[in-house]
Amino acid sequence: MNSRRLKFLWMPLAVVTAASTVAACSSSGGSSSGGGNDNATFTTIGYTTVITPGAPMNPFAPVNNVFPTYDAMQLAWLANNQANPNQEVPGLAASWTLSPSGTSVTVHLQPGAKWSNGQPVTATDVKDSAAIWVAVGDVTDLGSVTVNNPTTITFNEASGPPSNTFVQVIGNTSASLTQQDVVPASEYGSMLPADIWSTIAASEGAVGGAKTAAAASLASLAKTIEAYSPKTDISAGPFYIKRLNTSQALLVKNPDFYAASKVHIGEVIMQHQSGASQITDLLQSNSLDYSPFTGLAKAEENQVEAAGNKPVTGDGLVAAALVFDENDAPYNNVKVRQALAYVLDRPTIQKIGEPVVGTPSTTITGAISSTLPSWLSSAQQSALNPYAPDTATATSLLKSAGLTQKSGQWYLPNGKAWTINLPVPQGFSDWTSASSAIKSELDSFGIPTTFSVTDQWPQYQSNDLFKGSYPVGWWLMALGTDPYTLFGRIYGPYDGYNGGGAARLATGAAGSDNFINAPTTVNVPGVGTVNPGQLTEQLNTLNLNSSAGLAQQKQIGGQLIQTINYEVPVIQLWDYQSLVFLDSKRFTNWPTDPNLLGQQPGVWMADGYVTAK
């Protein structure tokens, strides 16, 4: 996972609409006139971009200096609407129409959309951008693109098994992917060979020499694109970068932005991001008008609020959990995993690990607690096992699984003492704190536990977790509202299912990220025999153009939740809350819709919100 992808893990997430004809989703918009100074300077920190000396103003570079929603633009932004996860907010796309089969989508660009150099944003810009998306690996199921006219473009899905995530190429996708940025063909098009779409088609063809050669060609092209460093920032967004140094970036209003008349901010200063303590200091000195997601201790939060900053919270659409490799004994026994769920006191662990931006998971489901009504009936929710702390039940389960307890210590069926070593990826201070609470509870129950800080998140995954080195580890799950991504964190690629009907990959196999190794089928009480990997794959191939497809999506999601609740491949500890701060001393007309507040401020400003007092 490259840095460009990793950094979106903490953002609220949603998915693209799948109605056959999608009207542009929009809020009511902010005031058309703020009564203040439209040349005002707005100071913030870009939480998806850490200003990096020497990094290019190129959104496709793994490390870059671009700022989504301000200068880097997509065709659509995530609506973050849990009640309607198939909703997006228009960006450069004014509207889009999905074909009845769901295999093509036609996009209509915003009238009057221009780059900051005054040139129009055209369908050719989007087509060349789409070729780059495929080359750098951000889109894998796009077959071809047709320019219908200068402002209308059609995306066509590649041949093969259908994918309902195909339409997400027009906007944001999921935490495991990245945003699809639109860039000017005049700047990037010359890097694309004339036969780029033939190469893309060959790369998606049958196995053979042509496919291998095409894939190598795209990989080489990706390196060229990622290394490119534009001399100036040519933006289709509400702002463009005028100056940038190690401490801050100055973005100024783009007079050619398609909704420039709605933007009441003249300049945006992006401060360099060096960590939570720096953000806390800036908030306490009233030096930020808006702060990104910030992990604070309760005392720090109180100090920030005392300085006049208003906290705004919402569902972060991501959860922290312990995950098991079910190839390893005793974690291959469902009774053992259930017993551990009864031992661990989730509310206590959350209070120690993430007291400010965490809420204890109500139970173990694979989805954040607030989304359960979207998947299950009230009766089904009531039937879920809450796994309230109960050491007596845990003891009974372990004894029935063949474990024994002597002098307070638990022993495995083979006679060995049961101990746990819990790895914590570097940089997750909340997980480190929570691990101390987990250790205390497991030690008291008779399972001696140690924990240690290991590599940073990408290396923690690829070097160890995916290779089966950790029988128990920390895991981020419940990502977003896209059902395939959400449940795929357990029963997708990390359980060996890489999509496309391919055979399940074993841990350590080439191209495999499988480290969970859940059983192929599970007999779930009240549900029956379930193949969770197969069900998760189906979520990626449903035709969501129909009410029947949407109903099937809900049914499958409900079955997977009930399966996770019984099978316990993870112990879901807490759901993250998105916490940001607004300083209302200088600005007013903030959005109030929680779904819009989940966006970055560039989206608000483009819709008429945020005006100087």
Side-chain angles (χ1 to χ4, degrees):
M1 179 183 292
N2 66 38
S3 60
R4 194 153 43 96
R5 292 174 177 165
L6 178 67
K7 66 189 180 187
F8 289 98
L9 283 172
W10 302 102
M11 295 174 64
L13 305 169
V15 267
V16 73
T17 181
S20 58
T21 301
V22 184
C25 161
S26 177
S27 69
S28 59
S31 302
S32 59
S33 62
N37 177 14
D38 280 8
N39 294 318
T41 300
F42 184 89
T43 303
T44 185
I45 289 179
Y47 64 83
T48 62
T49 304
V50 177
I51 297 174
T52 305
M57 292 180 290
N58 171 2
F60 303 109
V63 178
N64 58 58
N65 287 320
V66 296
F67 302 92
T69 79
Y70 297 94
D71 65 327
M73 285 293 286
Q74 299 174 202
L75 293 173
W77 306 105
L78 303 174
N80 306 321
N81 188 344
Q82 293 180 21
N84 181 8
N86 300 319
Q87 187 182 70
E88 275 194 307
V89 175
L92 284 175
S95 63
W96 47 92
T97 305
L98 193 62
S99 68
S101 65
T103 58
S104 70
V105 61
T106 298
V107 173
H108 306 275
L109 296 177
Q110 294 279 4
K114 291 183 179 181
W115 299 100
S116 53
N117 61 6
Q119 297 300 309
V121 176
T122 68
T124 299
D125 294 320
V126 179
K127 182 176 181 178
D128 283 1
S129 298
I132 294 173
W133 303 343
V134 177
V136 300
D138 291 340
V139 171
T140 58
D141 48 8
L142 180 59
S144 64
V145 175
T146 303
V147 172
N148 304 316
N149 60 52
T151 60
T152 308
I153 188 168
T154 298
F155 298 89
N156 303 295
E157 185 176 6
S159 59
S163 167
N164 67 30
T165 59
F166 159 68
V167 293
Q168 294 176 6
V169 299
I170 70 169
N172 209 336
T173 52
S174 68
S176 61
L177 296 176
T178 186
Q179 295 179 11
Q180 312 308 328
D181 296 286
V182 179
V183 293
S186 61
E187 186 85 6
Y188 289 79
S190 61
M191 289 183 279
L192 302 178
D195 62 349
I196 180 62
W197 288 101
S198 297
T199 303
I200 288 172
S203 73
E204 295 168 340
V207 176
K211 180 182 178 73
T212 301
S217 178
L218 291 178
S220 177
L221 175 61
K223 291 182 180 179
T224 299
I225 292 168
E226 291 173 348
Y228 177 62
S229 183
K231 293 180 179 179
T232 59
D233 182 27
I234 302 177
S235 165
F239 303 92
Y240 65 90
I241 299 172
K242 184 176 181 179
R243 259 192 333 267
L244 188 147
N245 56 38
T246 57
S247 61
Q248 61 180 218
L250 172 65
L251 287 80
V252 297
K253 183 176 176 178
N254 174 12
D256 291 306
F257 178 56
Y258 65 83
S261 62
K262 289 186 174 182
V263 179
H264 305 301
I265 303 296
E267 297 179 338
V268 174
I269 292 178
M270 290 285 180
Q271 298 280 13
H272 173 69
Q273 179 184 158
S274 63
S277 60
Q278 173 235 9
I279 295 175
T280 302
D281 290 343
L282 289 171
L283 285 169
Q284 289 179 353
S285 63
N286 299 114
S287 300
L288 287 182
D289 298 303
Y290 168 87
S291 81
F293 171 89
T294 308
L296 302 178
K298 188 62 179 175
E300 292 173 322
E301 183 189 16
N302 292 340
Q303 291 170 354
V304 166
E305 288 188 48
N309 298 285
K310 176 185 176 183
V312 178
T313 60
D315 287 321
L317 302 184
V318 62
L322 298 185
V323 63
F324 303 102
D325 183 346
E326 297 182 40
N327 264 354
D328 283 86
Y331 311 105
N332 57 346
N333 190 316
V334 65
K335 293 182 178 180
V336 171
R337 300 192 302 275
Q338 290 174 342
L340 288 172
Y342 279 114
V343 171
L344 296 179
D345 185 336
R346 297 190 302 276
T348 296
I349 294 169
Q350 174 266 319
K351 287 179 182 178
I352 294 174
E354 195 57 87
V356 176
V357 293
T359 57
S361 302
T362 57
T363 182
I364 297 167
T365 62
I368 64 171
S369 302
S370 61
T371 65
L372 294 182
S374 300
W375 299 107
L376 301 174
S377 67
S378 297
Q380 288 173 322
Q381 292 179 66
S382 298
L384 294 174
N385 186 340
Y387 291 102
D390 187 341
T391 55
T393 298
T395 298
S396 176
L397 283 166
L398 291 179
K399 288 182 176 179
S400 67
L403 281 75
T404 56
Q405 191 175 30
K406 302 173 185 177
S407 302
Q409 161 79 56
W410 282 98
Y411 290 83
L412 303 175
N414 63 8
K416 292 185 177 180
W418 183 12
T419 62
I420 291 176
N421 179 28
L422 181 62
V424 186
Q426 183 179 331
F428 287 73
S429 58
D430 54 347
W431 290 3
T432 303
S433 298
S435 294
S436 65
I438 292 169
K439 168 181 168 53
S440 176
E441 293 180 3
L442 291 175
D443 284 349
S444 296
F445 185 68
I447 308 172
T449 299
T450 58
F451 67 91
S452 57
V453 176
T454 62
D455 294 327
Q456 293 185 341
W457 178 253
Q459 292 73 33
Y460 163 80
Q461 294 178 100
S462 59
N463 293 349
D464 297 297
L465 198 65
F466 296 164
K467 293 181 180 179
S469 301
Y470 300 137
V472 185
W474 278 96
W475 190 232
L476 280 172
M477 49 167 289
L479 295 181
T481 55
D482 173 10
Y484 176 70
T485 301
L486 191 158
F487 297 110
R489 292 296 291 183
I490 298 175
Y491 294 128
Y494 310 106
D495 194 29
Y497 297 97
N498 280 17
R504 185 181 187 185
L505 298 177
T507 299
S512 175
D513 292 338
N514 179 13
F515 71 97
I516 293 179
N517 296 294
T520 303
T521 59
V522 182
N523 187 14
V524 182
V527 178
T529 301
V530 172
N531 183 323
Q534 185 180 73
L535 286 179
T536 303
E537 290 289 294
Q538 287 180 24
L539 286 172
N540 201 28
T541 58
L542 295 174
N543 183 351
L544 300 181
N545 266 347
S546 66
S547 57
L550 292 170
Q552 191 175 4
Q553 176 181 259
K554 181 175 181 178
Q555 180 185 28
I556 290 173
Q559 289 179 337
L560 287 170
I561 284 173
Q562 293 171 91
T563 301
I564 293 166
N565 186 251
Y566 170 76
E567 202 250 322
V568 193
V570 297
I571 297 179
Q572 195 168 339
L573 296 170
W574 66 76
D575 302 336
Y576 282 98
Q577 298 290 297
S578 172
L579 172 66
V580 302
F581 289 95
L582 309 176
D583 186 342
S584 297
K585 289 184 173 61
R586 300 192 316 112
F587 290 92
T588 186
N589 192 30
W590 301 97
T592 56
D593 180 349
N595 295 323
L596 190 55
L597 278 167
Q599 305 291 338
Q600 294 195 61
V603 175
W604 311 345
M605 296 170 184
D607 205 22
Y609 289 98
V610 189
T611 53
K613 286 184 175 179

